[in-house]
Amino acid sequence: MPEVEAVRKTWAHPEVDVLASITEWFTPLLEEADHMAAGINGGVRFTAEDDDRGDIDFVLDFVAREVRPYADEKVRYRFRTRRAYVEQLIADHEIDWVNSLFLSCRFSAQRIGPYNEFVYTFFKCLSEERLNYAEGWYTEQNEAEAGEMVELGGWLVQRRCAHLKADLTRFGHVDKGVLTCQMHGWKWRLADGKCLTSVGHDVRSEPADSSAARD
Ligand code: FES
């Protein structure tokens, strides 16, 4: 037990500013999480509790796409855990809170209404890479969006990267007929959609002008 207690004492990180860190980390993710935001359509309250140092109570607002202090409002989803655990997650920059916090069962949760998979998916995707993969996956479930083409540098290209589904309107860059996805740096020759980085993984592409001519 003394060893366990000694390890437990290392979990608190008083030097971590929880609200500022979460705001800086989560805000860009909230801005990109279109499907999850539509699926949650409200606030998720998170309380990091500490009897001695005080609680930190904040809301992930999936409508305004922001993190802010909880302001006595009604929310549909709520989580509570120890402040020290949240500080440790921040210190480790842990990008999957489902695996690290929720599977440890060191939290409590409340909700109004049915289970919402989007809430848990968000907490599994706390990096830009994971979030884009999940958002791309949801896009592919929606056939209308799966065929979506976007214009990039004079070319029409499928919106989601053929590698791990990054949104090419944010990560795609076209130079001299070559598309680079800046998520991992993979490249494609747009004249025929061929992937120049790996076998397979070709993209759908065509010159934007020829489609304009056809229309
Ligand atoms: S998601 Fe990996 S290169 Fe685009």
Side-chain angles (χ1 to χ4, degrees), residues 37-73:
I40 296 168
N41 193 27
V44 176
R45 180 180 174 190
F46 209 107
T47 311
E49 299 173 322
D50 191 309
D51 292 342
D52 300 326
R53 295 185 291 144
D55 297 350
I56 298 173
D57 211 350
F58 55 92
V59 171
L60 309 181
D61 185 334
F62 284 85
V63 176
R65 310 280 189 105
E66 66 181 15
V67 180
R68 56 186 156 72
Y70 175 68
D72 215 17
E73 59 213 282

Side-chain angles (χ1 to χ4, degrees), residues 120-136:
Y120 290 91
T121 304
F122 181 79
F123 284 106
K124 282 180 87 68
C125 295
L126 300 174
S127 71
E128 197 161 45
E129 183 178 30
R130 278 182 173 231
L131 191 104
N132 267 265
Y133 184 82
E135 284 289 323

Side-chain angles (χ1 to χ4, degrees), residues 106-118:
R106 292 189 174 99
F107 74 105
S108 66
Q110 291 167 280
R111 67 169 190 249
I112 299 168
Y115 173 77
N116 187 324
E117 69 165 76
F118 294 103

